[in-house]
Amino acid sequence: KTPHKKAIREMYLQGVQALAGVVQEGIDAGVLRSLDSQRLAFFLQEMISNVLEQRILGHSGTSVEADVELLLSLFLDGSRQR
């Protein structure tokens, strides 16, 4: 791997680790279901990355706030009709 790829990979994994800590706090507090916090953190990181990519590419016609609200709603509540 090139040094740049290694550095980007390390930054990505550090971000996932930070998210995993927050997710684990939510699990411990009973706010989130008892699932693998590391796995959930990877899913959340990829959701965030895809929202950012859509914004960078100019494919988002909504505000940042609306994107964040929808992303968190999908992560926390899913997309199933309740």
Side-chain angles (χ1 to χ4, degrees):
K1 294 182 182 180
T2 66
H4 298 298
K5 285 183 181 180
K6 185 176 180 179
I8 290 171
R9 181 177 185 277
E10 288 301 315
M11 286 176 29
Y12 174 83
L13 292 175
Q14 287 174 0
V16 169
Q17 284 303 112
L19 285 173
V22 172
V23 168
Q24 188 60 54
E25 288 178 19
I27 292 168
D28 294 344
V31 176
L32 299 175
R33 291 188 297 163
S34 183
L35 298 169
D36 181 345
S37 61
Q38 183 81 17
R39 190 166 186 219
L40 287 176
F42 273 109
F43 289 161
L44 180 55
Q45 179 65 46
E46 287 306 309
M47 290 173 74
I48 293 167
S49 294
N50 280 294
V51 168
L52 288 172
E53 182 178 349
Q54 293 303 307
R55 295 196 73 76
I56 290 167
L57 295 174
H59 297 305
S60 179
T62 58
S63 68
V64 172
E65 292 81 6
D67 283 351
V68 170
E69 186 175 323
L70 179 57
L71 185 145
L72 288 175
S73 174
L74 287 171
F75 181 75
L76 295 172
D77 303 320
S79 60
R80 185 180 309 155
Q81 186 76 283
R82 300 198 188 248

